[in-house]
Amino acid sequence: MYPSFTGSARRPRQVNLSGRNTNPFAATAASKQSSSTQSTQHTVAHAQAERMQRHQERLRPPAARSIQRSWRGYRSRRQTKNAWRQEWDVRELALAAAEGRRPLSSLDPIPYNNEDDCLDQISLLVHFASPQEHSDGDRLILLATRYSSFARRTGSAAVSDAWTFPLLRLAKLTVSMLEPFKSRSHSDLSVVLELLSTLAATIPQQMASFSMQYFEALRAVASNSEGMYSMRAPNQGQWEDAIIALLRAVFPKAEIAYRGFASQILRIAAIPEDSLRRISSASRVRDLALAMASPLPFTPPNVSLHDMNREQLLWLVAYFIYFYRTANPFQERSSDTLYVRILSRYISFLAVDIASRIDRTANTSTIQSDESTSTSVSTPPFPPFVRNELLGLICQEHISGLLAKAAASADSEREALAVRSEQASELAVYALTLLRAFPRKGDEIRMWLYFGSTSRKDTRREPSMPAVKYYYNAANQTSIYKLVKSDPNYAIPLLNPGSRRRANAPALPDRDEQWQVILLFLELYPIVLKVMDDEDFLNGAISTNNTESWTRRSALGLDQVRDLTMFLKNLAFSMYWNAPEIAGVEEPENKSSIAAYFGGDVAALSDNHPDGKPVRSQDATIAGLPWMTLSYMRGMVTGLLRMIYERDSRRKFLPGDHWLMTQWFEMDRFVPAVVQEEEEKHKIQDSYGADGDGEAEDPDDEVEEEEVHDILVGTQRTQQVRNIERLRRQQRKASRRKYLESVTPRLEILQNMPFFIPFSTRVQAFRQFVMLDQLRRRRTTDPDLWRFDMMSSNPTHMGRHKARVHRDSIFDDAFEQYYSLGEGLKEPIQIAFVDQFDTVEEGIDGGGVTKEFLTSVTSEAFNSMNGLDMFVENDQHLLYPNPTALDERKELLRQAGEAEGSPYYNESTRDLLRRFEFMGRIIGKCLYEGILVDIHFAPFFLLKWALTGGHNSASRESSYHGNLNDLRDLDEALYQGLLQLKNYPGNVESMGLTFEVTDTLFPSDRPSSYHPSQAPIPRTRELITNGSNTPVTNKNRLVYITNIARHRLSVQPYHQTSAFLRGLGTIIDPAWLSMFNQHELQTLISGTDSAPDMDDLRRNTLYGGLYVIGDDGLEHPTIQLFWSTVLAFDIDDKMKLIKFVTSTPRAPLLGFGNLNPKFSIRDGGNDQSRLPTTSTCVNLLKLPVYKDAAVLRERLLYSIRSGAGFNLS
């Protein structure tokens, strides 16, 4: 039976339509069937072949006739042209005989006698002349010679319309035959070029119709195969004349001719400057600008700007700048919107090339990543002419004059507010393009833009508007600004029109133009914040007149600043919270689900395609600018918002809850959610770290390009290999970082916009991060369990965490024994204090000895009078790294005769920096363990902690930049002096200042803080290149102030600060520090400055022994006496009591309920003469059972004021 699912036992019929036998046992029958099939196929093939043969036989006679017809036509045309040639030669012979001239072969410049003879010869020549016939070239030379002479004699060769068409045909013939003349004699080429000049001057409008071919021929004859200028000197003048003749002519739509000129001639590389000067003097730059404003018809056909050779485009831009520069002064060029629009278009396209090559020299080359492949290519430096013309754009007069004729300078208020104009957008694009193309000149460009202003017809009645206010008004009036300020969700469709939420926002046809205006304001306003002191910021914009300083006139009103922060807050929140949707990618958790299931996070995050090729992470762009990426914009918004927040933190001008955005989060679940994101981030980083490509920064990535070239001079191959590998490594890191940003939005907001979240919530998250790190490293948060595990599994490792520390040399002993631990200092340490008699102090370390050790180390290391001289105090007794410490150490070594670079010299300077690094680790250890220390740092120094950035998306944009306001925390006298310089109404140049700064050193064998007996040693440094010869003027004084602040705050203490932060970052992740501002960090270090809440302490105190609270709920009488006495203490004694019991004088940040172990009190016997003692290891106060309040107060005050160690108990 045949089994089936249908229940039918009949085998289904099999129908074979293939012609093959499927039965392997029927060999004989198969042979017959196979033979029959082959016979049938052979018959069909034979019939098809016969049919094709008959078809070809039918086509053969018509094809033969067509060939014969073509040949007869060709032969006939050739015979006819030969006859015309003979006729033309006969006419020339006859004319020569009639005129008594020499034979035809001589180039006698005798003109034709009359117009008819000349016109007949031209008309006949254009009928038969061909570029392939060498003899026709001789005829053309003869005609050109006689025609040019005729034209010069008569003054005009075309006296009627009958001449126009023959001359046009002659011009086209000459253009087609021009290139072969390149290989002939100089005289022949000169004659032909002179003919073209004559024709261009005679019929310019007709020749403009084929100006593309005309200038293409001139380009071909003047350049070599590489596009370089190669015109022979004898023909250079005639070549210039041929160009000038058509450019100089005036006729309707003359820009048509200039289009051919720009797209052909201005592509030639290295045209001599004398030729350029002559051509530009005869050209009309307005027509050239109109021609370049429209798409240039580059050859070959259908080639767009993006397909053009970039080198040729660079020469085109350089020539265009040269032509405009020689025709217009700076002010006219700056206010010419057509000029600005053209430069914006071309430089925006070439911005990446310009940025990477503008600072290169002939001895260096740069590595550029190829967009289409994963390889990199070496690019040469710019030719001097191109470089000089491009750098000519970076000029104060040019950039500051961009707004000279801006539309915002209208006569009416309505027009002044209607700044959402095409002109404002064009100026914004140009300024943004310059910032991208010249990144090393970015600060100068922003400063010069800041000095720009609009014009008013009557400046006495209404002052000009500063550029910052102009662009704020422009941005404030855009629909984008208003929508985003009202709701952050509007930012998603406005940044990505393809978003799912595009229906939520109205369609904006000028969306890109609006973003361009906003982006330029975001670039400019940070400059204002850097140079503006708090008084100008808070009191500016109250009234504006020409007598006030430019800085104050540029200030926004506080209401405007509040509105601006609302816009920035909503925009930044959306860019972080909705990053995947704005970038146009799916949520990461919805991608690669199968890969994630089998391969975990690494499989889901693979940087490779299945074929092994790397995935290139392309960042989305905004505002129609190909280089304005969302990542850059997000960093710019982050940096500006943090700058305003820092100023508000220093001097409050906004409501206390203005910065919070808690309404957009589920705050009851925020801390667990952000801790989960932190754990997810570490899993991903650990997964990549297993492959040797983790998130750790490579030192090479931070080296400036010019430094790399200086190091690797003469090893360009090695240099290129290293740069290529560095680029690939950066691309991989950028790809992973983008993924982390998409899966950890809360973490990104917490690290970049921490002020969105309340301080107490951030402190909880910080402690949870530390606990998570402890679990990851120790598998427990209990130090004793870790010690027990280490003693049983790795006693050698445990031994490294033990140390004997003398109380008279705590820092030196700690440095010698614990510096080598590095990151291992995170683990619990075991300290044995040794007194002056070399006796180990008694005590059981339950954490209390560690706390006393850390507080003692910090007290010694950061005491500016202890002789270490590593940290110094400002006028408010706030600490910061000694900015001259390294220079003083080097000067001391030089005085001792040590050569710079010698082993001892290098080791001594490294030792100093290692001590700074160790001090950073000690502070990090205190933060890691939650131990408060009584150390107060200067706000500008703490600000560097908060802006170390870590690996977040805005690490560079929001990093620390020293400014005038921070200088106040360093040196009040210097701050006041610079403030007077900034506001000085007279001529600053009379002060005799130059761009130099003098540092004063006080070297000593035993470093001490500025010992009076030490002779100061001045060290003068230049703030800018050639600074000693650059006077400080009214125009550049803000640049001088900015450079002074940068030197004092960043440059001078750079090595010391970097070493300290490196040590701090070894213990505390820099990304965690970025969650707090400078004042909040000080609170993390030393606790709140307010008096400790003794009621809170009483509520969270545990009692033991006789003091245990009974069932009646009443405290022991001694405890009641204790609290009544303590509550009557002053603030100092209360803090001393807390330090006596816990080893730290301040309360925990989140209250005494978070003190671990809990504050405890137990009985200490009935002896009324005994002093109270403590066990700080368990935060335990041993209080004797006192009967009298006076005795209790006396004994307690004696104990807390004694300052003794553990030996007291």
Side-chain angles (χ1 to χ4, degrees), residues 69-113:
R69 185 167 55 250
S70 299
W71 166 250
R72 287 194 299 269
Y74 168 75
R75 184 179 59 183
S76 176
R77 288 191 299 274
R78 186 172 181 179
Q79 291 173 351
T80 302
K81 289 183 178 182
N82 287 335
W84 286 342
R85 288 186 179 94
Q86 294 176 3
E87 181 181 353
W88 194 90
D89 293 343
V90 169
R91 288 185 181 182
E92 281 296 324
L93 290 173
L95 291 173
E99 295 165 0
R101 289 191 295 108
R102 288 170 290 180
L104 179 65
S105 59
S106 66
L107 299 179
D108 196 344
I110 296 178
Y112 291 106
N113 285 330

Side-chain angles (χ1 to χ4, degrees), residues 787 829 831 845 847-855 925 931:
R787 291 190 183 100
I829 55 178
I831 303 297
D845 188 4
V849 180
T850 299
K851 287 190 290 184
E852 184 176 2
F853 164 73
L854 292 174
T855 54
K925 177 69 171 178
I931 297 174

Side-chain angles (χ1 to χ4, degrees), residues 292-357:
M292 292 188 64
S294 59
L296 294 178
F298 292 110
T299 55
N302 302 323
V303 176
S304 65
L305 186 67
H306 293 270
D307 297 325
M308 267 294 297
N309 184 298
R310 289 177 179 265
E311 289 296 318
Q312 294 179 352
L313 282 179
L314 285 167
W315 280 103
L316 171 63
V317 172
Y319 291 142
F320 177 71
I321 297 171
Y322 175 86
F323 274 55
Y324 242 89
R325 177 171 60 83
T326 56
N328 296 291
F330 274 120
Q331 193 66 24
E332 292 185 16
R333 279 185 282 153
S334 300
S335 57
D336 190 338
T337 56
L338 183 60
Y339 173 76
V340 169
R341 186 188 311 134
I342 293 168
L343 286 183
S344 298
R345 176 191 175 200
Y346 285 92
I347 296 181
S348 177
F349 177 72
L350 298 168
V352 176
D353 301 77
I354 296 174
S356 62
R357 298 172 58 187

Side-chain angles (χ1 to χ4, degrees), residues 880-1179:
Y880 61 91
N882 182 0
T884 61
L886 186 61
D887 289 334
E888 289 172 355
R889 175 66 63 88
K890 292 179 178 179
E891 180 62 27
L892 180 63
L893 292 169
R894 281 192 288 266
Q895 292 179 2
E898 287 293 333
E900 185 172 355
S902 66
Y904 180 78
Y905 182 96
N906 292 337
E907 179 58 28
S908 181
T909 54
R910 290 195 191 101
D911 178 74
L912 178 64
L913 295 179
R914 282 195 290 264
R915 290 175 179 269
F916 274 104
E917 183 179 358
F918 183 69
M919 295 171 78
R921 292 182 191 171
I922 291 296
I923 293 296
K925 177 69 171 178
C926 294
L927 291 171
Y928 195 79
E929 300 294 344
I931 297 174
L932 302 179
V933 290
D934 195 16
I935 302 295
H936 297 271
F937 294 105
F940 78 88
F941 179 54
L942 289 170
L943 199 56
K944 298 179 181 182
W945 302 18
L947 296 180
T948 50
H951 302 298
N952 53 57
S953 62
S955 58
R956 293 190 181 275
E957 292 78 6
S958 61
S959 58
Y960 178 76
H961 302 285
N963 58 70
L964 178 62
N965 296 287
D966 291 340
L967 202 59
R968 189 171 198 171
D969 296 325
L970 175 71
D971 189 337
E972 178 71 22
L974 178 60
Y975 168 77
Q976 294 296 338
L978 292 177
L979 208 59
Q980 293 178 8
L981 174 65
K982 183 171 76 74
N983 299 321
Y984 183 65
N987 183 9
V988 173
E989 204 164 353
S990 62
M991 297 182 181
L993 297 173
T994 58
F995 277 78
E996 292 179 299
V997 63
T998 300
D999 301 328
T1000 305
L1001 309 182
F1002 293 86
S1004 171
D1005 291 335
R1006 180 176 175 79
S1008 60
S1009 295
Y1010 306 104
H1011 197 278
S1013 64
Q1014 296 171 348
I1017 299 176
R1019 286 284 183 270
T1020 301
R1021 294 180 172 88
E1022 292 187 337
L1023 296 172
I1024 60 175
T1025 304
N1026 197 30
S1028 59
N1029 299 319
T1030 306
V1032 178
T1033 65
N1034 287 16
K1035 285 187 176 181
N1036 64 15
R1037 57 179 162 184
L1038 289 182
V1039 179
Y1040 172 78
I1041 292 172
T1042 301
N1043 279 278
I1044 286 288
R1046 178 176 176 269
H1047 174 79
R1048 292 297 185 199
L1049 294 166
S1050 300
V1051 176
Q1052 190 181 14
Y1054 172 77
H1055 295 288
Q1056 299 90 299
T1057 303
S1058 297
F1060 181 90
L1061 293 179
R1062 184 166 57 251
L1064 180 63
T1066 302
I1067 308 300
I1068 301 295
D1069 190 335
W1072 301 349
L1073 296 174
S1074 67
M1075 298 190 304
F1076 306 98
N1077 65 22
Q1078 62 270 39
H1079 304 293
E1080 293 167 346
L1081 282 171
Q1082 184 61 61
T1083 303
L1084 278 178
I1085 296 167
S1086 60
T1088 60
D1089 293 331
S1090 58
D1093 187 351
M1094 305 309 289
D1095 292 329
D1096 178 52
L1097 177 61
R1098 188 173 187 175
R1099 286 192 300 269
N1100 291 282
T1101 298
L1102 301 179
Y1103 303 99
L1106 295 176
Y1107 297 150
V1108 174
I1109 297 177
D1111 295 338
D1112 58 0
L1114 298 178
E1115 294 175 339
H1116 191 277
T1118 302
I1119 295 299
Q1120 294 179 8
L1121 289 177
F1122 171 80
W1123 287 116
S1124 61
T1125 301
V1126 168
L1127 290 174
F1129 282 174
D1130 58 22
I1131 294 177
D1132 289 341
D1133 286 335
K1134 289 177 181 179
M1135 297 179 69
K1136 288 176 181 177
L1137 171 64
I1138 296 172
K1139 183 176 182 179
F1140 180 64
V1141 179
T1142 67
S1143 78
T1144 56
R1146 301 179 188 276
L1149 298 177
L1150 302 178
F1152 286 100
N1154 289 273
L1155 185 64
N1156 186 26
K1158 295 288 188 180
F1159 190 95
S1160 305
I1161 304 176
R1162 63 161 294 169
D1163 63 290
N1166 295 315
D1167 187 353
Q1168 299 296 300
S1169 63
R1170 184 171 181 174
L1171 294 174
T1173 59
T1174 61
S1175 295
T1176 56
C1177 55
V1178 290
N1179 296 333

Side-chain angles (χ1 to χ4, degrees), residues 177-186 189 219-225 228 230-232 235:
M177 299 180 68
L178 184 60
E179 188 171 4
F181 277 97
K182 186 177 181 180
S183 59
R184 298 179 66 160
S185 65
H186 302 324
L189 183 57
R219 176 176 65 86
V221 79
S223 60
N224 57 23
S225 59
M228 300 291 293
S230 60
M231 174 60 70
R232 294 170 291 188
N235 303 123

Side-chain angles (χ1 to χ4, degrees), residues 365 375 387 411 515 590 708 766 770 885 903 959 1083 1136 1166 1189:
S365 62
T375 61
R387 184 175 185 273
D411 296 329
W515 275 122
N590 295 334
V708 174
F766 175 76
V770 171
S959 58
T1083 303
K1136 288 176 181 177
N1166 295 315

